[in-house]
Amino acid sequence: MCRRHNKDHEILFSRERGAFLIPYFIALLFEGIPLLHLELALGQCLRKGSIRAWNTVSPYLGGVGVGSWMVSVLVSLYYNTVLTWVMWYFINSFQEPLPWSACPLNENRTGFNEECYRSTAVNYFWYRKTLNITPNVTESGTLQWWLILCLAACWAIVYLCTIRGIETTGKAIYVTAIFPYLVLTIFLIHGLTLPGATDGLAYLFTPNLNTLKNPRVWLDAATQIFFSLSLAFGGLIAFSSYNSPKNDCEKDAVTVAIVNSMTSLYASIPVFSVLGFKATTGYWDCLDRNIISIINEFDLPEESIMRENYTAWISFLNSSHPEKIAGLKLKSCDLQEFLDQSVSGTGLVFIIFTQAIILMPGSRAWAILFFIMLFCLGLSSMFGNIEGVFTPLLELRIISKTIRKELLSGIICLICFIIALCFTLGSGSYWIDIFDSYAGTVPLLVIAFFEVIGVAYVYKIKRFSKDVKWMTGRKPNLYWQITWRFISPLLLLIVFLAFVALQIQKPSSYAAWNPKYEGFPMKEEKVYPPWVLAICVLLAVLPCVFVPLVALFNLIKQMCRSKDTSFIQPEVFSCQEANCNFCHPKESIPIVSVCKKK
Amino acid sequence: MLRVLLLTLSVVAIAHAELCKPDAQNAFKVRLSIKTALGDNAYAWDANEEYLFKAMMAFAMRRYSSKSMTQISNILLCNVTDRVSFWFVVTDSSENVTTVPGSEVEAAIRMNRNRINSAFLLSDKTLQFLKITPTLSPPVEPSTPVWLIVFGVVLCLILAGIVFLVVAGIRQRKKKNKESTERENLEEKCEVTITVENGIPCEALDLKAGHINGVFAADNERFTSL
């Protein structure tokens, strides 16, 4: 059983973590685990990809399969671009000193490049040297050739690992799943020895209950679960269809969820100790700069003011020479403020972490290890997405059987590469944020909602419980019954409505990197123009719209057919019969016997 | 005689005090951060170090302009603080009452910055001439960027992997095709040797019975022929 996890997405797209753990665990318990068990059981029982599986459950629910296939396609497109960025940083980590550690000089060599000087070297490398970002989303800029090269390499790697479907993916997973654990352990040990690590860990584990009042935090927890467990992508159904029918899917579901959460917690420890280290270093830098200004102004001997007696000196000097102190314009240094700098999105990895890595001794090795680990994590999620795209296509009768698997996966990878080229434009990272916020949240909620409703009320829970009993040997207990029937659909509905309400309340805005902005290096808040908003809505609606469309289509077909008297009702099937009658395309048992030599 | 000497000395001292004071014309402020640079090996700033500084400045002026006759006595230091910062001026060697223009001093220091820094075991950051910004040296850039090389290596590995897998797949398919043709050949030979189908020897079976279905064969007369 392939255990996949999507830590990469969590690390890359996570919001502030302090109090995040509480909504995360609630979402896991009432949304994540029931849905996980549902999808695993469904795939194992029906032994098909997501499109045909949902068609088998009920023809009216066929749209759910198509919807999750659509989401897999959209996510695969933009997700690999994030891996491109990771690869770009990885191949740049071989340079000594690291290219993001120092600012480049300006033309006449009298000072540093202005954009870099006003922000930081790390910001400059990310926004200018990597993305070459444009000041707003409407300006597309040009294609960045270095990103195109890395994108081609990433898609080539994905092709290499999925070339023959599950055969090669299964072997690649061994590397991409185990290696990150090794690196995380190394980072854990190193991170705990860094100064300021304990501050970061204290910050992680002391929940700031005020943040729980913000509905955005709950929303993020709920949608994060989908990415974390890869629910509603169709990939899980595809993967579990390769399991033997008598596999204990209930145990698998609980194990996967627990392993996932443990990994999440395990990963957050080095992350937060490094963040604590960075905050402490920033705080010390702030103090040191103030100390130097004071020493220079008052011509005091060096090392007369240290960090420890800084506050005593400040109060003394403020009382004796207040005008001079005021004239120095000292910055107030507060450790809590540094810890609170919650950067969300790709900034967490490419700005904060890279800055922390420069501060560590032996930074080149740490950078290389870190980016390989991120790449492995992201790659294992890509496998799931591509599998969710690949398997239904293989099974649909649209693709003729004569096309070989290698050719099909090559064609899919090529098409995705060409479409993803638009993310390598100057405005690419704005588009990725759009895709992530709209294609990666709402459709998943809607599809998961229809999945649970479909199994609980169309297929009927009693039948499903019987099927699960046939597979695992025991009937699903009260927890599963209650969550499948009531709690999960209700929770999903509430989250969906809250999301829509929040979106309507304030106009969608984004933060743009504009060197000509007065408040630079702060980002400029801009509102999306109407045509971009239309695309956002399209991204969110496109996968969901298949559910009612297919249901309507089948309803019309049914009504036409019911006028025809010779129409026979499709047989009601069960898991047991499904496994006898429907053979999995991969393991077709020859029905005709062969003459054997005695 | 003594009185004249004292008078001249005092005049000179006053003149010097006039020339060297904070923010005077052509005066530069110097700031040293010895403890930051050297830590435990830091030396104390005393009169000997000041003498060395004067000597370095005189050296810099002489090196800059070959006709300069600057002596150590032409370099005046004042306002030495505990920070280790002070002001200095360079007086004209021919007339002791005027100072050398600031631009010349600046140019001389820029030209010899390296030598001055190393005399004190300091760097541009720890020995600061406050009005003179140091020119920064560009970082070392190799001719081919390192990342291109690494990228080339990674790409070659990936392509090698793809080619290997595709070729292996083609070979496997050929082997399977060969095996299935061999099996077909064996099936033809089935009738010669004793063969078993489902545990029953082939000879006992009516082989034709499996190929033609008696139910439909009988109906042949019912259907009109093409």
Side-chain angles (χ1 to χ4, degrees):
Chain A
M1 163 70 190
C2 303
R3 293 200 174 114
R4 297 179 305 115
H5 43 265
N6 204 323
K7 291 290 119 349
D8 193 31
H9 190 261
E10 273 186 43
I11 296 180
L12 289 177
F13 294 100
S14 68
R15 320 283 182 202
E16 53 176 295
R17 293 288 244 115
F20 192 72
L21 294 173
I22 300 178
Y24 181 81
F25 276 112
I26 294 183
L28 183 72
L29 207 59
F30 293 117
E31 200 184 293
I33 302 185
L35 270 166
L36 188 63
H37 187 198
L38 194 104
E39 290 202 4
L40 287 180
L42 209 65
Q44 202 175 291
C45 167
L46 298 173
R47 314 189 68 68
K48 295 191 180 102
S50 61
I51 299 186
R52 276 184 69 186
W54 287 105
N55 256 323
T56 320
V57 168
S58 159
Y60 298 114
L61 284 176
V64 176
V66 181
S68 52
W69 180 81
M70 197 76 230
V71 171
S72 283
V73 170
L74 288 174
V75 171
S76 308
L77 282 178
Y78 82 81
Y79 203 77
N80 222 11
T81 316
V82 177
L83 279 186
T84 308
W85 297 337
V86 175
M87 168 167 269
W88 166 253
Y89 267 81
F90 167 68
I91 58 183
N92 269 297
S93 308
F94 286 90
Q95 198 175 318
E96 179 73 36
L98 291 172
W100 56 84
S101 57
C103 275
L105 301 175
N106 59 16
E107 286 87 37
N108 41 10
R109 293 226 255 130
T110 53
F112 295 112
N113 179 302
E114 199 201 320
E115 187 184 345
C116 182
Y117 183 69
R118 286 169 70 191
S119 56
T120 60
V122 174
N123 275 327
Y124 177 75
F125 186 75
W126 169 237
Y127 286 109
R128 194 52 51 206
K129 281 290 162 71
T130 306
L131 297 175
N132 203 6
I133 207 166
T134 53
N136 58 41
V137 74
T138 45
E139 280 176 46
S140 305
T142 52
L143 289 171
Q144 318 304 327
W145 60 272
W146 56 90
L147 284 182
I148 295 181
L149 284 180
C150 294
L151 186 72
C154 282
W155 275 111
I157 294 182
V158 171
Y159 177 54
L160 174 70
C161 296
T162 56
I163 201 168
R164 271 192 241 127
I166 197 75
E167 213 181 296
T168 39
T169 312
K171 296 197 179 61
I173 281 255
Y174 277 114
V175 175
T176 60
I178 295 182
F179 186 73
Y181 280 106
L182 281 175
V183 178
L184 271 177
T185 314
I186 297 176
F187 263 99
L188 179 77
I189 299 174
H190 181 73
L192 288 175
T193 59
L194 293 168
T198 38
D199 292 313
L201 286 176
Y203 181 73
L204 166 67
F205 288 115
T206 49
N208 178 13
L209 292 169
N210 284 327
T211 54
L212 289 181
K213 295 195 193 116
N214 180 10
R216 188 86 220 183
V217 176
W218 291 90
L219 214 63
D220 285 340
T223 48
Q224 194 66 263
I225 283 283
F226 285 101
F227 261 99
S228 183
L229 295 171
S230 311
L231 300 170
F233 279 95
L236 275 180
I237 298 184
F239 269 135
S240 66
S241 66
Y242 293 99
N243 280 341
S244 79
K246 291 286 195 172
N247 184 37
D248 192 344
C249 49
E250 182 182 347
K251 197 168 69 144
D252 275 348
V254 176
T255 316
V256 167
I258 292 182
V259 167
N260 202 50
S261 317
M262 288 298 114
T263 310
S264 196
L265 215 62
Y266 187 65
S268 59
I269 296 182
V271 168
F272 271 83
S273 39
V274 171
L275 288 181
F277 163 68
K278 187 185 164 298
T280 308
T281 325
Y283 172 64
W284 284 349
D285 274 344
C286 178
L287 276 183
D288 285 342
R289 262 181 278 130
N290 284 356
I291 290 175
I292 289 280
S293 323
I294 297 176
I295 288 184
N296 286 345
E297 178 69 20
F298 289 92
D299 281 322
L300 300 163
E302 284 179 281
E303 293 184 4
S304 52
I305 308 182
M306 302 297 286
R307 290 181 200 136
E308 295 84 37
N309 49 19
Y310 172 75
T311 33
W313 269 99
I314 275 283
S315 43
F316 167 67
L317 287 172
N318 236 343
S319 50
S320 49
H321 303 96
E323 341 71 46
K324 268 194 172 179
I325 293 283
L328 282 176
K329 295 199 196 8
L330 298 171
K331 266 177 98 171
S332 69
C333 303
D334 180 19
L335 181 62
Q336 200 55 35
E337 195 186 300
F338 281 99
L339 280 172
D340 274 337
Q341 276 172 357
S342 61
V343 186
S344 63
T346 47
L348 180 68
V349 164
F350 295 113
I351 296 180
I352 303 231
F353 246 75
T354 44
Q355 201 158 22
I357 286 181
I358 309 173
L359 301 166
M360 299 182 199
S363 42
R364 206 158 53 146
W366 292 116
I368 293 174
L369 268 181
F370 178 65
F371 288 114
I372 290 189
M373 173 188 80
L374 272 191
F375 194 78
C376 286
L377 284 173
L379 201 62
S380 52
S381 329
M382 271 308 288
F383 292 157
N385 287 331
I386 286 289
E387 201 59 42
V389 173
F390 194 49
T391 312
L393 278 181
L394 265 186
E395 296 186 333
L396 280 182
R397 276 159 235 135
I398 300 175
I399 313 283
S400 84
K401 298 257 185 250
T402 52
I403 295 188
R404 294 215 304 260
K405 259 191 265 184
E406 286 97 333
L407 202 59
L408 182 66
S409 45
I411 293 174
I412 292 178
C413 287
L414 192 65
I415 295 177
C416 288
F417 166 68
I418 293 175
I419 300 180
L421 280 177
C422 62
F423 292 121
T424 56
L425 290 168
S427 53
S429 96
Y430 298 132
W431 285 106
I432 291 200
D433 279 333
I434 290 176
F435 266 71
D436 185 52
S437 320
Y438 291 98
T441 47
V442 174
L444 294 176
L445 286 172
V446 171
I447 288 171
F449 177 73
F450 279 110
E451 278 188 7
V452 182
I453 293 285
V455 170
Y457 296 106
V458 177
Y459 186 76
K460 301 278 191 303
I461 279 281
K462 282 202 174 53
R463 263 168 76 192
F464 192 64
S465 307
K466 237 187 350 187
D467 291 334
V468 175
K469 182 164 178 197
W470 180 81
M471 289 193 292
T472 63
R474 47 181 192 282
K475 196 159 177 273
N477 59 31
L478 195 64
Y479 163 70
W480 302 111
Q481 304 280 346
I482 295 186
T483 47
W484 283 336
R485 264 191 244 246
F486 309 116
I487 301 189
S488 294
L490 198 64
L491 192 63
L492 287 167
L493 193 64
I494 294 176
V495 171
F496 174 70
L497 290 174
F499 186 89
V500 173
L502 271 179
Q503 282 294 101
I504 296 177
Q505 247 176 29
K506 63 176 183 92
S508 315
S509 64
Y510 66 105
W513 179 263
N514 186 5
K516 298 200 177 55
Y517 177 53
E518 309 94 42
F520 188 78
M522 302 303 292
K523 292 214 197 144
E524 193 182 351
E525 280 286 324
K526 285 202 166 130
V527 179
Y528 286 126
W531 65 274
V532 174
L533 273 177
I535 295 185
C536 298
V537 171
L538 183 71
L539 280 176
V541 161
L542 187 66
C544 312
V545 86
F546 281 105
V547 180
L549 266 183
V550 172
L552 205 66
F553 174 70
N554 276 310
L555 193 69
I556 295 176
K557 214 163 65 166
Q558 173 87 320
M559 288 199 315
C560 292
R561 277 214 197 142
S562 62
K563 294 185 188 139
D564 188 5
T565 49
S566 64
F567 178 64
I568 309 166
Q569 280 281 348
E571 284 175 30
V572 167
F573 77 101
S574 78
C575 212
Q576 207 164 350
E577 293 161 15
N579 277 294
C580 291
N581 294 338
F582 301 110
C583 286
H584 198 281
K586 310 290 173 304
E587 8 160 337
S588 17
I589 309 159
I591 307 173
V592 179
S593 57
V594 178
C595 286
K596 283 181 273 193
K597 269 182 125 163
K598 205 175 194 177
Chain B
M1 179 61 191
L2 202 60
R3 242 197 251 159
V4 173
L5 201 62
L6 276 170
L7 204 62
T8 12
L9 275 173
S10 51
V11 165
V12 168
I14 293 170
H16 279 190
E18 288 292 315
L19 289 173
C20 175
K21 55 179 192 213
D23 294 318
Q25 202 191 32
N26 300 330
F28 289 88
K29 183 165 184 188
V30 183
R31 191 189 287 147
L32 289 93
S33 313
I34 308 173
K35 286 212 191 111
T36 317
L38 300 170
D40 286 332
N41 297 331
Y43 48 82
W45 186 260
D46 53 14
N48 298 328
E49 306 287 341
E50 284 181 25
Y51 195 81
L52 177 60
F53 184 80
K54 292 186 196 175
M56 289 308 295
M57 284 297 116
F59 163 75
M61 295 304 298
R62 285 185 179 226
R63 205 155 168 259
Y64 171 66
S65 138
S66 48
K67 46 184 171 56
S68 157
M69 297 296 290
T70 320
Q71 309 287 329
I72 288 183
S73 49
N74 289 125
I75 315 285
L76 307 171
L77 263 64
C78 51
N79 284 58
V80 185
T81 62
D82 282 335
R83 169 71 181 83
V84 194
S85 66
F86 50 85
W87 289 84
F88 80 96
V89 281
V90 182
T91 55
D92 214 325
S93 48
S94 43
E95 314 156 41
N96 254 347
V97 287
T98 50
T99 51
V100 175
S103 49
E104 277 187 40
V105 181
E106 181 171 335
I109 293 177
R110 266 191 209 275
M111 190 177 119
N112 297 292
R113 192 62 191 267
N114 236 4
R115 301 289 298 269
I116 301 172
N117 284 349
S118 25
F120 290 97
L121 305 172
L122 297 172
S123 66
D124 276 354
K125 267 179 122 180
T126 40
L127 171 56
Q128 293 167 299
F129 291 88
L130 285 185
K131 274 190 259 176
I132 307 175
T133 49
T135 40
L136 306 153
S137 56
V140 176
E141 284 234 4
S143 48
T144 34
V146 177
W147 70 265
L148 259 178
I149 301 174
V150 180
F151 177 75
V153 169
V154 168
L155 201 62
C156 288
L157 286 172
I158 299 170
L159 288 175
I162 292 179
V163 164
F164 169 73
L165 279 178
V166 169
V167 165
I170 294 176
R171 252 197 244 157
Q172 215 176 30
R173 223 172 281 270
K174 276 204 194 132
K175 220 183 357 173
K176 242 199 273 181
N177 280 341
K178 224 188 346 176
E179 271 178 22
S180 62
T181 46
E182 277 177 15
R183 229 187 296 141
E184 278 171 27
N185 292 337
L186 277 173
E187 281 178 19
E188 286 170 17
K189 295 186 192 153
C190 232
E191 307 183 2
V192 181
T193 52
I194 301 171
T195 49
V196 181
E197 180 167 330
N198 267 353
I200 312 167
C202 278
E203 298 147 302
L205 288 174
D206 184 6
L207 283 169
K208 288 228 171 46
H211 296 168
I212 303 174
N213 192 329
V215 178
F216 290 113
D219 273 343
N220 255 334
E221 293 103 36
R222 275 212 293 151
F223 298 131
T224 47
S225 51
L226 292 158

